[in-house]
Amino acid sequence: MRVPRGVIYLLIVAVALTLLPLAVIALARTSTSSKPRIHIVPDMDSQESFKAQQGSTLFSDGRAARLAPAGTVARGQLKEDDHYYRGKIADAYATEFPKQVQVTEELLLRGKNRFQVFCAPCHGRAGYGDGMVARHADALAEGTWTQPADFHTDAIRQRPVGEIFDILTNGVRNMPAHGRQIKVHDRWAIVAYAKALQLSQEVDVESLPAEFRQGLR
């Protein structure tokens, strides 16, 4: 029995049509476009996004950017160690450096570097409260300037390292908080260097090695 030519043509067209979806899929995987792809089952894969400071009618306050819920903690930022992150032990200022901080020459050099960037402009390179910012403020004599602390007074020398760390982190009086600008370990390095500065001005010459004493004399 001979198959009619029309049926043959119909079968050819049917087979070609079955290959068409595969061709469309292959084309979609390799083509690019500025328009979103057709997504039959979106499953929330593509959602509306907002630019910074853009408004939104979805929320009553009209803001698209939302604050994190109270108590939200970023991954890896729980910061349970009060000694290392807040300079305190049982709500009292720590008198020793935390175990994560080993006072070495490398730490002191890092502290010196950070001190000269963040602290010296007000406190001076030697810590006497006579930095360039303080000098200019004194020259203006506007009456609203609070003199930076002199690290070499008895009151400041007696401050525990934890209190200095807390002040550096959260600020005091006119001094701004540096907690967001300086990493935790670098803040401890600054504290170590500040203590070294204090020691350098009060050290007993007889306690120094002989080669250093000779040079000083």
Side-chain angles (χ1 to χ4, degrees), residues 3 56 112 176 182 191 199:
V3 179
S56 170
K112 178 181 180 180
I182 311 174
V191 173
L199 180 61

Side-chain angles (χ1 to χ4, degrees), residues 61-204:
D61 60 6
R63 297 186 304 173
R66 313 308 303 162
L67 296 175
T72 299
V73 177
R75 185 183 295 273
Q77 297 296 315
L78 188 56
K79 299 180 179 179
E80 290 183 295
D81 190 339
D82 281 341
H83 191 179
Y84 183 60
Y85 290 105
R86 282 166 280 279
K88 294 183 177 182
I89 300 176
D91 294 328
Y93 289 122
T95 58
E96 301 289 341
F97 288 89
K99 61 183 179 181
Q100 298 92 326
V101 180
Q102 300 297 318
V103 181
T104 62
E105 181 180 2
E106 181 182 0
L107 183 80
L108 292 174
L109 290 174
R110 177 63 178 175
K112 178 181 180 180
N113 176 275
R114 298 293 84 189
F115 180 92
Q116 291 180 350
V117 171
F118 293 100
C119 309
C122 288
H123 293 282
R125 296 171 70 90
Y128 281 99
D130 57 353
M132 292 304 298
V133 172
R135 294 181 187 181
H136 285 300
D138 288 339
L140 291 174
E142 294 182 346
T144 59
W145 173 253
T146 300
Q147 187 69 24
D150 178 352
F151 294 167
H152 306 292
T153 62
D154 289 337
I156 303 299
R157 278 199 299 269
Q158 292 171 4
R159 282 180 178 172
V161 292
E163 184 176 0
I164 300 174
F165 178 85
D166 178 71
I167 292 173
L168 181 59
T169 301
N170 301 306
V172 63
R173 297 186 297 277
N174 288 349
M175 175 181 165
H178 290 296
R180 293 187 177 184
Q181 295 175 294
I182 311 174
K183 296 178 181 179
V184 177
H185 208 76
D186 281 349
R187 274 176 266 156
W188 280 114
I190 291 174
V191 173
Y193 181 70
K195 283 296 183 182
L197 278 180
Q198 292 174 337
L199 180 61
S200 71
Q201 302 302 301
E202 296 294 324
V203 66
D204 182 3

